[in-house]
Amino acid sequence: MTREPSPGADDTTGHPAQWGRERVEAEVAVLTVHGRGQSPESMRDLTARLGAPPARFYAPAAPEGSWYPHPFMEPLARNQPELDHGLRVVEAVLTRILREGFARHRVVLWGFSQGACLLSQYLLDTPRRLGGAILFTGGHLGPDARPAPSGAPLDGLPVLMRSVERDPWVPRSRVAETAELLRRAGATVDLRIAPGDEHVVTDEACGAAARLLRAIGQ
Protein backbone atom coordinates (compact mmCIF):
# COMPACT_ATOMS: atom_id res chain seq x y z
CA MET A 1 0.00 0.00 0.00
CA THR A 2 1.47 3.32 -1.02
CA ARG A 3 1.50 6.17 1.47
CA GLU A 4 1.12 9.70 0.18
CA PRO A 5 1.31 13.07 1.87
CA SER A 6 -2.19 14.04 2.96
CA PRO A 7 -3.30 17.24 1.25
CA GLY A 8 -5.68 19.47 3.13
CA ALA A 9 -9.24 18.33 2.57
CA ASP A 10 -11.65 20.81 1.01
CA ASP A 11 -14.88 19.77 2.71
CA THR A 12 -17.14 21.99 0.62
CA THR A 13 -16.19 20.72 -2.84
CA GLY A 14 -15.39 17.09 -2.12
CA HIS A 15 -11.57 17.19 -2.38
CA PRO A 16 -10.55 14.91 0.48
CA ALA A 17 -7.19 13.69 1.71
CA GLN A 18 -6.25 10.43 0.01
CA TRP A 19 -3.96 7.48 0.64
CA GLY A 20 -3.65 3.75 -0.02
CA ARG A 21 -3.44 1.99 -3.36
CA GLU A 22 -3.00 4.05 -6.49
CA ARG A 23 -6.29 4.61 -8.25
CA VAL A 24 -5.45 2.26 -11.12
CA GLU A 25 -4.57 -0.51 -8.64
CA ALA A 26 -7.37 -0.07 -6.10
CA GLU A 27 -10.23 -2.56 -6.08
CA VAL A 28 -12.21 -0.65 -3.44
CA ALA A 29 -12.78 2.99 -2.53
CA VAL A 30 -13.30 3.76 1.16
CA LEU A 31 -14.88 7.05 2.23
CA THR A 32 -13.61 7.52 5.78
CA VAL A 33 -15.17 9.95 8.28
CA HIS A 34 -13.26 10.83 11.44
CA GLY A 35 -14.56 11.43 14.94
CA ARG A 36 -14.90 14.60 17.00
CA GLY A 37 -11.58 16.30 17.69
CA GLN A 38 -9.86 14.11 15.12
CA SER A 39 -8.75 14.53 11.52
CA PRO A 40 -8.23 12.53 8.33
CA GLU A 41 -4.82 11.60 9.75
CA SER A 42 -6.59 9.81 12.63
CA MET A 43 -8.37 7.56 10.15
CA ARG A 44 -5.14 7.06 8.23
CA ASP A 45 -3.47 5.84 11.41
CA LEU A 46 -6.40 3.46 11.98
CA THR A 47 -5.97 2.16 8.43
CA ALA A 48 -2.55 0.81 9.41
CA ARG A 49 -4.33 -1.71 11.65
CA LEU A 50 -6.16 -3.23 8.66
CA GLY A 51 -3.11 -4.76 7.01
CA ALA A 52 -2.93 -3.91 3.33
CA PRO A 53 -6.44 -3.99 1.84
CA PRO A 54 -6.73 -3.38 -1.93
CA ALA A 55 -8.27 0.02 -1.28
CA ARG A 56 -7.88 3.73 -1.85
CA PHE A 57 -9.04 5.88 1.05
CA TYR A 58 -10.77 9.26 0.78
CA ALA A 59 -11.07 11.33 3.96
CA PRO A 60 -12.75 14.73 4.25
CA ALA A 61 -11.94 16.98 7.21
CA ALA A 62 -14.58 18.48 9.48
CA PRO A 63 -14.38 22.23 10.16
CA GLU A 64 -12.40 22.67 13.40
CA GLY A 65 -12.44 18.91 13.89
CA SER A 66 -16.18 18.46 14.46
CA TRP A 67 -19.03 17.53 12.13
CA TYR A 68 -21.64 19.00 14.48
CA PRO A 69 -21.31 20.91 17.76
CA HIS A 70 -23.43 19.09 20.36
CA PRO A 71 -23.83 15.47 21.54
CA PHE A 72 -25.43 13.28 18.91
CA MET A 73 -28.54 12.46 20.94
CA GLU A 74 -29.48 16.12 21.37
CA PRO A 75 -32.47 17.37 19.30
CA LEU A 76 -31.49 17.53 15.64
CA ALA A 77 -32.11 21.28 15.48
CA ARG A 78 -29.37 21.81 18.07
CA ASN A 79 -26.81 20.42 15.65
CA GLN A 80 -27.91 22.45 12.64
CA PRO A 81 -26.74 23.78 10.25
CA GLU A 82 -23.49 21.87 10.81
CA LEU A 83 -25.20 18.47 10.59
CA ASP A 84 -26.66 19.17 7.15
CA HIS A 85 -23.29 20.52 6.03
CA GLY A 86 -21.59 17.30 7.14
CA LEU A 87 -24.12 15.20 5.24
CA ARG A 88 -23.49 17.29 2.13
CA VAL A 89 -19.75 16.66 2.52
CA VAL A 90 -20.35 12.89 2.53
CA GLU A 91 -22.47 13.23 -0.61
CA ALA A 92 -19.84 15.41 -2.33
CA VAL A 93 -17.00 12.97 -1.63
CA LEU A 94 -19.12 9.99 -2.67
CA THR A 95 -19.92 11.78 -5.94
CA ARG A 96 -16.21 12.40 -6.50
CA ILE A 97 -15.38 8.73 -5.91
CA LEU A 98 -18.02 7.57 -8.39
CA ARG A 99 -16.82 10.08 -10.98
CA GLU A 100 -13.31 8.66 -10.62
CA GLY A 101 -14.69 5.41 -11.97
CA PHE A 102 -15.39 3.22 -8.93
CA ALA A 103 -18.56 1.18 -9.30
CA ARG A 104 -21.08 1.59 -6.48
CA HIS A 105 -20.57 -2.00 -5.35
CA ARG A 106 -16.87 -1.20 -4.80
CA VAL A 107 -17.47 1.79 -2.49
CA VAL A 108 -17.45 1.48 1.32
CA LEU A 109 -18.43 4.07 3.93
CA TRP A 110 -16.32 3.89 7.11
CA GLY A 111 -16.67 6.05 10.19
CA PHE A 112 -15.60 6.09 13.81
CA SER A 113 -17.48 7.75 16.69
CA GLN A 114 -18.92 11.06 15.45
CA GLY A 115 -18.04 9.93 11.94
CA ALA A 116 -19.99 6.70 12.41
CA CYS A 117 -22.94 8.71 13.71
CA LEU A 118 -22.84 10.97 10.65
CA LEU A 119 -22.70 7.96 8.31
CA SER A 120 -25.52 6.20 10.19
CA GLN A 121 -27.66 9.27 9.66
CA TYR A 122 -26.63 9.44 6.01
CA LEU A 123 -27.52 5.79 5.35
CA LEU A 124 -30.95 6.18 6.93
CA ASP A 125 -31.73 9.57 5.35
CA THR A 126 -30.53 8.74 1.82
CA PRO A 127 -30.34 4.93 1.66
CA ARG A 128 -28.67 3.43 -1.38
CA ARG A 129 -26.93 0.19 -2.24
CA LEU A 130 -23.14 0.55 -2.09
CA GLY A 131 -20.41 -2.00 -1.49
CA GLY A 132 -20.57 -1.85 2.30
CA ALA A 133 -20.44 0.23 5.45
CA ILE A 134 -18.23 0.05 8.55
CA LEU A 135 -19.65 1.84 11.59
CA PHE A 136 -17.41 1.82 14.65
CA THR A 137 -19.14 3.11 17.80
CA GLY A 138 -21.94 5.20 16.32
CA GLY A 139 -25.67 5.46 15.76
CA HIS A 140 -28.26 7.71 14.23
CA LEU A 141 -28.73 11.23 15.60
CA GLY A 142 -31.53 12.71 17.70
CA PRO A 143 -33.14 11.92 21.05
CA ASP A 144 -36.00 9.78 19.76
CA ALA A 145 -36.62 6.58 17.86
CA ARG A 146 -37.05 7.08 14.13
CA PRO A 147 -38.77 5.04 11.42
CA ALA A 148 -36.80 2.85 9.07
CA PRO A 149 -36.72 3.86 5.41
CA SER A 150 -39.65 2.42 3.50
CA GLY A 151 -39.10 -0.70 1.46
CA ALA A 152 -35.66 -2.26 1.48
CA PRO A 153 -33.49 0.31 -0.30
CA LEU A 154 -30.22 -0.96 1.19
CA ASP A 155 -30.84 -4.25 -0.63
CA GLY A 156 -28.40 -6.53 1.17
CA LEU A 157 -25.77 -3.86 1.93
CA PRO A 158 -23.20 -5.47 4.25
CA VAL A 159 -22.85 -3.30 7.34
CA LEU A 160 -20.19 -4.02 9.97
CA MET A 161 -21.02 -2.46 13.34
CA ARG A 162 -18.80 -2.59 16.40
CA SER A 163 -18.93 -0.85 19.77
CA VAL A 164 -18.08 -1.31 23.46
CA GLU A 165 -20.51 -2.32 26.20
CA ARG A 166 -20.14 0.78 28.36
CA ASP A 167 -18.73 3.28 25.88
CA PRO A 168 -18.72 6.71 27.59
CA TRP A 169 -20.16 8.56 24.57
CA VAL A 170 -22.37 6.21 22.56
CA PRO A 171 -24.94 4.07 24.43
CA ARG A 172 -25.14 0.43 23.44
CA SER A 173 -28.90 0.82 23.08
CA ARG A 174 -28.52 3.41 20.31
CA VAL A 175 -26.03 1.23 18.42
CA ALA A 176 -28.45 -1.71 18.60
CA GLU A 177 -31.41 0.46 17.59
CA THR A 178 -29.49 1.73 14.57
CA ALA A 179 -28.52 -1.80 13.59
CA GLU A 180 -32.18 -2.82 13.65
CA LEU A 181 -33.20 0.18 11.50
CA LEU A 182 -30.55 -0.73 8.96
CA ARG A 183 -31.75 -4.35 8.92
CA ARG A 184 -35.32 -3.19 8.34
CA ALA A 185 -34.03 -1.07 5.45
CA GLY A 186 -32.62 -4.21 3.84
CA ALA A 187 -29.01 -4.23 5.07
CA THR A 188 -27.18 -7.33 6.27
CA VAL A 189 -25.79 -6.23 9.63
CA ASP A 190 -22.92 -7.81 11.54
CA LEU A 191 -23.10 -6.29 15.04
CA ARG A 192 -20.83 -7.11 17.98
CA ILE A 193 -20.51 -5.30 21.29
CA ALA A 194 -17.20 -5.88 23.06
CA PRO A 195 -16.86 -5.78 26.86
CA GLY A 196 -15.24 -2.70 28.34
CA ASP A 197 -15.74 0.97 29.06
CA GLU A 198 -13.24 2.69 26.75
CA HIS A 199 -13.91 4.65 23.55
CA VAL A 200 -11.67 2.49 21.37
CA VAL A 201 -11.56 0.40 18.21
CA THR A 202 -10.73 -3.19 19.12
CA ASP A 203 -8.38 -5.50 17.27
CA GLU A 204 -11.36 -7.75 16.49
CA ALA A 205 -13.15 -4.81 14.85
CA CYS A 206 -10.11 -4.02 12.70
CA GLY A 207 -9.78 -7.65 11.65
CA ALA A 208 -13.45 -7.80 10.67
CA ALA A 209 -13.12 -4.57 8.68
CA ALA A 210 -10.06 -5.90 6.84
CA ARG A 211 -11.93 -9.06 5.89
CA LEU A 212 -14.89 -7.09 4.62
CA LEU A 213 -12.71 -4.85 2.44
CA ARG A 214 -10.91 -7.85 0.98
CA ALA A 215 -14.22 -9.57 0.23
CA ILE A 216 -15.64 -6.49 -1.51
CA GLY A 217 -12.43 -6.17 -3.52
CA GLN A 218 -12.60 -9.70 -4.91
Side-chain angles (χ1 to χ4, degrees), residues 17-54:
Q18 299 180 39
W19 65 87
R21 294 284 182 91
E22 297 292 343
R23 169 64 191 91
V24 295
E25 300 173 345
E27 301 292 340
V28 181
V30 185
L31 197 173
T32 75
V33 185
H34 65 77
R36 187 189 298 273
Q38 297 184 335
S39 68
E41 194 66 25
S42 304
M43 296 302 288
R44 182 166 167 164
D45 290 343
L46 192 53
T47 303
R49 298 173 62 189
L50 304 183

mmCIF file of all heavy atoms in Angstrom, residues 17-54:
data_model
loop_
_atom_site.group_PDB
_atom_site.id
_atom_site.type_symbol
_atom_site.label_atom_id
_atom_site.label_comp_id
_atom_site.label_asym_id
_atom_site.label_seq_id
_atom_site.Cartn_x
_atom_site.Cartn_y
_atom_site.Cartn_z
ATOM 1 N N ALA A 17 -8.500 14.325 1.622
ATOM 2 C CA ALA A 17 -7.194 13.692 1.714
ATOM 3 C C ALA A 17 -7.313 12.268 1.171
ATOM 4 O O ALA A 17 -8.368 11.637 1.274
ATOM 5 C CB ALA A 17 -6.728 13.670 3.165
ATOM 6 N N GLN A 18 -6.224 11.760 0.596
ATOM 7 C CA GLN A 18 -6.250 10.426 0.011
ATOM 8 C C GLN A 18 -4.974 9.667 0.353
ATOM 9 O O GLN A 18 -3.905 10.262 0.504
ATOM 10 C CB GLN A 18 -6.379 10.512 -1.519
ATOM 11 C CG GLN A 18 -7.646 11.201 -1.990
ATOM 12 C CD GLN A 18 -7.726 11.247 -3.504
ATOM 13 O OE1 GLN A 18 -7.352 10.292 -4.187
ATOM 14 N NE2 GLN A 18 -8.225 12.351 -4.043
ATOM 15 N N TRP A 19 -5.112 8.347 0.449
ATOM 16 C CA TRP A 19 -3.956 7.476 0.638
ATOM 17 C C TRP A 19 -4.348 6.054 0.241
ATOM 18 O O TRP A 19 -5.500 5.790 -0.103
ATOM 19 C CB TRP A 19 -3.458 7.514 2.085
ATOM 20 C CG TRP A 19 -4.425 6.978 3.101
ATOM 21 C CD1 TRP A 19 -4.575 5.675 3.501
ATOM 22 C CD2 TRP A 19 -5.390 7.731 3.844
ATOM 23 N NE1 TRP A 19 -5.564 5.563 4.448
ATOM 24 C CE2 TRP A 19 -6.076 6.813 4.683
ATOM 25 C CE3 TRP A 19 -5.736 9.073 3.893
ATOM 26 C CZ2 TRP A 19 -7.100 7.209 5.552
ATOM 27 C CZ3 TRP A 19 -6.749 9.472 4.758
ATOM 28 C CH2 TRP A 19 -7.416 8.544 5.578
ATOM 29 N N GLY A 20 -3.394 5.142 0.305
ATOM 30 C CA GLY A 20 -3.654 3.748 -0.018
ATOM 31 C C GLY A 20 -3.154 3.376 -1.393
ATOM 32 O O GLY A 20 -2.180 3.943 -1.887
ATOM 33 N N ARG A 21 -3.820 2.424 -2.021
ATOM 34 C CA ARG A 21 -3.436 1.990 -3.359
ATOM 35 C C ARG A 21 -3.615 3.136 -4.359
ATOM 36 O O ARG A 21 -4.510 3.965 -4.214
ATOM 37 C CB ARG A 21 -4.306 0.809 -3.796
ATOM 38 C CG ARG A 21 -4.119 -0.459 -2.989
ATOM 39 C CD ARG A 21 -2.843 -1.194 -3.355
ATOM 40 N NE ARG A 21 -2.707 -2.426 -2.599
ATOM 41 C CZ ARG A 21 -3.160 -3.606 -3.025
ATOM 42 N NH1 ARG A 21 -3.777 -3.699 -4.197
ATOM 43 N NH2 ARG A 21 -3.000 -4.685 -2.290
ATOM 44 N N GLU A 22 -2.787 3.129 -5.386
ATOM 45 C CA GLU A 22 -2.995 4.051 -6.494
ATOM 46 C C GLU A 22 -4.354 3.750 -7.131
ATOM 47 O O GLU A 22 -4.835 2.608 -7.109
ATOM 48 C CB GLU A 22 -1.889 3.912 -7.530
ATOM 49 C CG GLU A 22 -0.502 4.265 -7.017
ATOM 50 C CD GLU A 22 -0.365 5.745 -6.720
ATOM 51 O OE1 GLU A 22 -1.204 6.542 -7.189
ATOM 52 O OE2 GLU A 22 0.590 6.111 -6.001
ATOM 53 N N ARG A 23 -4.947 4.788 -7.688
ATOM 54 C CA ARG A 23 -6.293 4.614 -8.247
ATOM 55 C C ARG A 23 -6.367 3.447 -9.222
ATOM 56 O O ARG A 23 -7.328 2.659 -9.202
ATOM 57 C CB ARG A 23 -6.739 5.923 -8.921
ATOM 58 C CG ARG A 23 -8.016 5.805 -9.773
ATOM 59 C CD ARG A 23 -9.219 5.431 -8.909
ATOM 60 N NE ARG A 23 -10.363 5.056 -9.705
ATOM 61 C CZ ARG A 23 -10.647 3.816 -10.100
ATOM 62 N NH1 ARG A 23 -9.849 2.800 -9.785
ATOM 63 N NH2 ARG A 23 -11.738 3.564 -10.807
ATOM 64 N N VAL A 24 -5.391 3.306 -10.093
ATOM 65 C CA VAL A 24 -5.454 2.261 -11.116
ATOM 66 C C VAL A 24 -5.289 0.867 -10.522
ATOM 67 O O VAL A 24 -5.621 -0.129 -11.169
ATOM 68 C CB VAL A 24 -4.391 2.498 -12.211
ATOM 69 C CG1 VAL A 24 -4.687 3.777 -12.970
ATOM 70 C CG2 VAL A 24 -2.977 2.531 -11.616
ATOM 71 N N GLU A 25 -4.782 0.782 -9.290
ATOM 72 C CA GLU A 25 -4.570 -0.512 -8.642
ATOM 73 C C GLU A 25 -5.659 -0.848 -7.633
ATOM 74 O O GLU A 25 -5.792 -2.011 -7.234
ATOM 75 C CB GLU A 25 -3.220 -0.518 -7.915
ATOM 76 C CG GLU A 25 -2.014 -0.272 -8.807
ATOM 77 C CD GLU A 25 -0.745 -0.129 -7.995
ATOM 78 O OE1 GLU A 25 -0.847 0.057 -6.767
ATOM 79 O OE2 GLU A 25 0.349 -0.217 -8.579
ATOM 80 N N ALA A 26 -6.415 0.130 -7.189
ATOM 81 C CA ALA A 26 -7.372 -0.066 -6.102
ATOM 82 C C ALA A 26 -8.610 -0.816 -6.572
ATOM 83 O O ALA A 26 -9.190 -0.488 -7.615
ATOM 84 C CB ALA A 26 -7.776 1.280 -5.519
ATOM 85 N N GLU A 27 -9.005 -1.814 -5.807
ATOM 86 C CA GLU A 27 -10.229 -2.557 -6.081
ATOM 87 C C GLU A 27 -11.430 -1.973 -5.339
ATOM 88 O O GLU A 27 -12.572 -2.234 -5.702
ATOM 89 C CB GLU A 27 -10.047 -4.022 -5.672
ATOM 90 C CG GLU A 27 -8.922 -4.744 -6.380
ATOM 91 C CD GLU A 27 -9.208 -4.938 -7.859
ATOM 92 O OE1 GLU A 27 -10.387 -4.865 -8.248
ATOM 93 O OE2 GLU A 27 -8.242 -5.149 -8.620
ATOM 94 N N VAL A 28 -11.152 -1.193 -4.305
ATOM 95 C CA VAL A 28 -12.207 -0.652 -3.441
ATOM 96 C C VAL A 28 -11.885 0.803 -3.124
ATOM 97 O O VAL A 28 -10.710 1.163 -2.955
ATOM 98 C CB VAL A 28 -12.304 -1.453 -2.119
ATOM 99 C CG1 VAL A 28 -13.414 -0.918 -1.228
ATOM 100 C CG2 VAL A 28 -12.523 -2.932 -2.392
ATOM 101 N N ALA A 29 -12.909 1.626 -3.037
ATOM 102 C CA ALA A 29 -12.776 2.995 -2.531
ATOM 103 C C ALA A 29 -13.446 3.070 -1.168
ATOM 104 O O ALA A 29 -14.577 2.583 -1.005
ATOM 105 C CB ALA A 29 -13.431 3.998 -3.476
ATOM 106 N N VAL A 30 -12.769 3.650 -0.200
ATOM 107 C CA VAL A 30 -13.304 3.757 1.158
ATOM 108 C C VAL A 30 -13.407 5.232 1.529
ATOM 109 O O VAL A 30 -12.402 5.945 1.585
ATOM 110 C CB VAL A 30 -12.411 3.021 2.184
ATOM 111 C CG1 VAL A 30 -13.068 3.058 3.561
ATOM 112 C CG2 VAL A 30 -12.175 1.579 1.742
ATOM 113 N N LEU A 31 -14.624 5.680 1.766
ATOM 114 C CA LEU A 31 -14.877 7.046 2.226
ATOM 115 C C LEU A 31 -14.835 7.018 3.745
ATOM 116 O O LEU A 31 -15.723 6.468 4.391
ATOM 117 C CB LEU A 31 -16.233 7.522 1.717
ATOM 118 C CG LEU A 31 -16.543 9.017 1.732
ATOM 119 C CD1 LEU A 31 -17.876 9.289 1.024
ATOM 120 C CD2 LEU A 31 -16.576 9.619 3.125
ATOM 121 N N THR A 32 -13.791 7.579 4.341
ATOM 122 C CA THR A 32 -13.606 7.520 5.784
ATOM 123 C C THR A 32 -14.010 8.846 6.432
ATOM 124 O O THR A 32 -13.721 9.918 5.902
ATOM 125 C CB THR A 32 -12.149 7.206 6.157
ATOM 126 O OG1 THR A 32 -11.338 8.356 5.953
ATOM 127 C CG2 THR A 32 -11.609 6.055 5.333
ATOM 128 N N VAL A 33 -14.679 8.760 7.578
ATOM 129 C CA VAL A 33 -15.169 9.950 8.277
ATOM 130 C C VAL A 33 -14.706 9.885 9.733
ATOM 131 O O VAL A 33 -15.093 8.979 10.482
ATOM 132 C CB VAL A 33 -16.708 10.051 8.194
ATOM 133 C CG1 VAL A 33 -17.188 11.356 8.822
ATOM 134 C CG2 VAL A 33 -17.175 9.969 6.738
ATOM 135 N N HIS A 34 -13.894 10.839 10.122
ATOM 136 C CA HIS A 34 -13.259 10.826 11.439
ATOM 137 C C HIS A 34 -14.219 11.262 12.551
ATOM 138 O O HIS A 34 -15.309 11.783 12.308
ATOM 139 C CB HIS A 34 -12.014 11.712 11.431
ATOM 140 C CG HIS A 34 -12.306 13.181 11.215
ATOM 141 N ND1 HIS A 34 -12.806 13.998 12.208
ATOM 142 C CD2 HIS A 34 -12.142 13.971 10.120
ATOM 143 C CE1 HIS A 34 -12.936 15.234 11.732
ATOM 144 N NE2 HIS A 34 -12.542 15.243 10.469
ATOM 145 N N GLY A 35 -13.775 11.059 13.775
ATOM 146 C CA GLY A 35 -14.558 11.430 14.938
ATOM 147 C C GLY A 35 -14.307 12.853 15.400
ATOM 148 O O GLY A 35 -13.469 13.579 14.856
ATOM 149 N N ARG A 36 -15.022 13.255 16.446
ATOM 150 C CA ARG A 36 -14.898 14.602 17.001
ATOM 151 C C ARG A 36 -13.485 14.819 17.545
ATOM 152 O O ARG A 36 -12.921 13.962 18.229
ATOM 153 C CB ARG A 36 -15.907 14.802 18.134
ATOM 154 C CG ARG A 36 -15.957 16.239 18.669
ATOM 155 C CD ARG A 36 -16.815 16.323 19.918
ATOM 156 N NE ARG A 36 -18.196 15.948 19.698
ATOM 157 C CZ ARG A 36 -19.151 16.785 19.298
ATOM 158 N NH1 ARG A 36 -18.861 18.056 19.053
ATOM 159 N NH2 ARG A 36 -20.396 16.356 19.132
ATOM 160 N N GLY A 37 -12.919 15.979 17.229
ATOM 161 C CA GLY A 37 -11.584 16.300 17.686
ATOM 162 C C GLY A 37 -10.489 15.553 16.961
ATOM 163 O O GLY A 37 -9.324 15.628 17.356
ATOM 164 N N GLN A 38 -10.843 14.858 15.890
ATOM 165 C CA GLN A 38 -9.862 14.105 15.125
ATOM 166 C C GLN A 38 -9.675 14.753 13.757
ATOM 167 O O GLN A 38 -10.054 15.907 13.545
ATOM 168 C CB GLN A 38 -10.305 12.648 15.008
ATOM 169 C CG GLN A 38 -10.380 11.943 16.354
ATOM 170 C CD GLN A 38 -10.725 10.473 16.218
ATOM 171 O OE1 GLN A 38 -11.337 10.033 15.256
ATOM 172 N NE2 GLN A 38 -10.321 9.690 17.223
ATOM 173 N N SER A 39 -9.085 14.008 12.833
ATOM 174 C CA SER A 39 -8.755 14.529 11.520
ATOM 175 C C SER A 39 -8.639 13.358 10.555
ATOM 176 O O SER A 39 -8.646 12.186 10.981
ATOM 177 C CB SER A 39 -7.413 15.272 11.583
ATOM 178 O OG SER A 39 -6.367 14.340 11.829
ATOM 179 N N PRO A 40 -8.492 13.634 9.254
ATOM 180 C CA PRO A 40 -8.229 12.531 8.334
ATOM 181 C C PRO A 40 -7.013 11.697 8.738
ATOM 182 O O PRO A 40 -6.993 10.476 8.533
ATOM 183 C CB PRO A 40 -8.004 13.246 6.999
ATOM 184 C CG PRO A 40 -8.867 14.462 7.093
ATOM 185 C CD PRO A 40 -8.723 14.897 8.528
ATOM 186 N N GLU A 41 -6.005 12.337 9.329
ATOM 187 C CA GLU A 41 -4.818 11.595 9.754
ATOM 188 C C GLU A 41 -5.158 10.540 10.810
ATOM 189 O O GLU A 41 -4.511 9.479 10.874
ATOM 190 C CB GLU A 41 -3.760 12.554 10.280
ATOM 191 C CG GLU A 41 -2.385 11.943 10.433
ATOM 192 C CD GLU A 41 -1.752 11.534 9.107
ATOM 193 O OE1 GLU A 41 -2.107 12.106 8.061
ATOM 194 O OE2 GLU A 41 -0.909 10.614 9.136
ATOM 195 N N SER A 42 -6.158 10.801 11.638
ATOM 196 C CA SER A 42 -6.588 9.815 12.631
ATOM 197 C C SER A 42 -7.087 8.546 11.954
ATOM 198 O O SER A 42 -6.778 7.426 12.384
ATOM 199 C CB SER A 42 -7.695 10.401 13.514
ATOM 200 O OG SER A 42 -7.285 11.595 14.132
ATOM 201 N N MET A 43 -7.869 8.723 10.886
ATOM 202 C CA MET A 43 -8.372 7.562 10.152
ATOM 203 C C MET A 43 -7.240 6.880 9.385
ATOM 204 O O MET A 43 -7.222 5.661 9.251
ATOM 205 C CB MET A 43 -9.494 7.983 9.218
ATOM 206 C CG MET A 43 -10.729 8.512 9.925
ATOM 207 S SD MET A 43 -11.468 7.338 11.101
ATOM 208 C CE MET A 43 -12.197 6.135 9.991
ATOM 209 N N ARG A 44 -6.297 7.657 8.914
ATOM 210 C CA ARG A 44 -5.141 7.063 8.228
ATOM 211 C C ARG A 44 -4.349 6.197 9.194
ATOM 212 O O ARG A 44 -3.899 5.089 8.836
ATOM 213 C CB ARG A 44 -4.264 8.171 7.663
ATOM 214 C CG ARG A 44 -3.067 7.672 6.895
ATOM 215 C CD ARG A 44 -2.456 8.783 6.093
ATOM 216 N NE ARG A 44 -1.148 8.447 5.573
ATOM 217 C CZ ARG A 44 -0.543 9.124 4.609
ATOM 218 N NH1 ARG A 44 -1.122 10.166 4.075
ATOM 219 N NH2 ARG A 44 0.656 8.771 4.195
ATOM 220 N N ASP A 45 -4.167 6.649 10.418
ATOM 221 C CA ASP A 45 -3.474 5.837 11.414
ATOM 222 C C ASP A 45 -4.243 4.543 11.690
ATOM 223 O O ASP A 45 -3.643 3.473 11.853
ATOM 224 C CB ASP A 45 -3.301 6.626 12.704
ATOM 225 C CG ASP A 45 -2.303 7.766 12.569
ATOM 226 O OD1 ASP A 45 -1.517 7.759 11.597
ATOM 227 O OD2 ASP A 45 -2.320 8.669 13.426
ATOM 228 N N LEU A 46 -5.581 4.645 11.743
ATOM 229 C CA LEU A 46 -6.402 3.462 11.982
ATOM 230 C C LEU A 46 -6.287 2.475 10.815
ATOM 231 O O LEU A 46 -6.314 1.257 11.014
ATOM 232 C CB LEU A 46 -7.854 3.883 12.191
ATOM 233 C CG LEU A 46 -8.841 2.861 12.733
ATOM 234 C CD1 LEU A 46 -8.339 2.229 14.024
ATOM 235 C CD2 LEU A 46 -10.194 3.529 12.953
ATOM 236 N N THR A 47 -6.125 3.010 9.616
ATOM 237 C CA THR A 47 -5.972 2.163 8.427
ATOM 238 C C THR A 47 -4.793 1.204 8.579
ATOM 239 O O THR A 47 -4.837 0.067 8.085
ATOM 240 C CB THR A 47 -5.748 3.039 7.172
ATOM 241 O OG1 THR A 47 -6.844 3.941 7.031
ATOM 242 C CG2 THR A 47 -5.640 2.198 5.930
ATOM 243 N N ALA A 48 -3.738 1.644 9.258
ATOM 244 C CA ALA A 48 -2.548 0.806 9.411
ATOM 245 C C ALA A 48 -2.855 -0.493 10.153
ATOM 246 O O ALA A 48 -2.107 -1.470 10.032
ATOM 247 C CB ALA A 48 -1.453 1.584 10.138
ATOM 248 N N ARG A 49 -3.953 -0.508 10.910
ATOM 249 C CA ARG A 49 -4.326 -1.713 11.651
ATOM 250 C C ARG A 49 -5.113 -2.710 10.794
ATOM 251 O O ARG A 49 -5.499 -3.776 11.280
ATOM 252 C CB ARG A 49 -5.145 -1.325 12.886
ATOM 253 C CG ARG A 49 -4.365 -0.459 13.870
ATOM 254 C CD ARG A 49 -5.256 0.039 15.002
ATOM 255 N NE ARG A 49 -5.797 -1.057 15.788
ATOM 256 C CZ ARG A 49 -6.744 -0.890 16.716
ATOM 257 N NH1 ARG A 49 -7.233 0.319 16.964
ATOM 258 N NH2 ARG A 49 -7.201 -1.934 17.386
ATOM 259 N N LEU A 50 -5.368 -2.358 9.534
ATOM 260 C CA LEU A 50 -6.156 -3.226 8.659
ATOM 261 C C LEU A 50 -5.293 -4.116 7.788
ATOM 262 O O LEU A 50 -5.815 -4.869 6.962
ATOM 263 C CB LEU A 50 -7.062 -2.377 7.751
ATOM 264 C CG LEU A 50 -8.011 -1.394 8.432
ATOM 265 C CD1 LEU A 50 -8.874 -0.710 7.383
ATOM 266 C CD2 LEU A 50 -8.865 -2.084 9.487
ATOM 267 N N GLY A 51 -3.975 -4.026 7.919
ATOM 268 C CA GLY A 51 -3.111 -4.759 7.013
ATOM 269 C C GLY A 51 -2.938 -3.961 5.735
ATOM 270 O O GLY A 51 -2.680 -2.763 5.774
ATOM 271 N N ALA A 52 -3.110 -4.599 4.612
ATOM 272 C CA ALA A 52 -2.929 -3.909 3.332
ATOM 273 C C ALA A 52 -4.098 -4.228 2.402
ATOM 274 O O ALA A 52 -3.954 -4.953 1.417
ATOM 275 C CB ALA A 52 -1.616 -4.316 2.687
ATOM 276 N N PRO A 53 -5.285 -3.709 2.708
ATOM 277 C CA PRO A 53 -6.436 -3.990 1.843
ATOM 278 C C PRO A 53 -6.243 -3.351 0.466
ATOM 279 O O PRO A 53 -5.523 -2.356 0.328
ATOM 280 C CB PRO A 53 -7.604 -3.336 2.595
ATOM 281 C CG PRO A 53 -6.976 -2.251 3.403
ATOM 282 C CD PRO A 53 -5.631 -2.797 3.810
ATOM 283 N N PRO A 54 -6.887 -3.889 -0.560
ATOM 284 C CA PRO A 54 -6.726 -3.376 -1.927
ATOM 285 C C PRO A 54 -7.571 -2.126 -2.149
ATOM 286 O O PRO A 54 -8.394 -2.071 -3.071
ATOM 287 C CB PRO A 54 -7.208 -4.550 -2.784
ATOM 288 C CG PRO A 54 -8.285 -5.180 -1.948
ATOM 289 C CD PRO A 54 -7.794 -5.064 -0.526
#
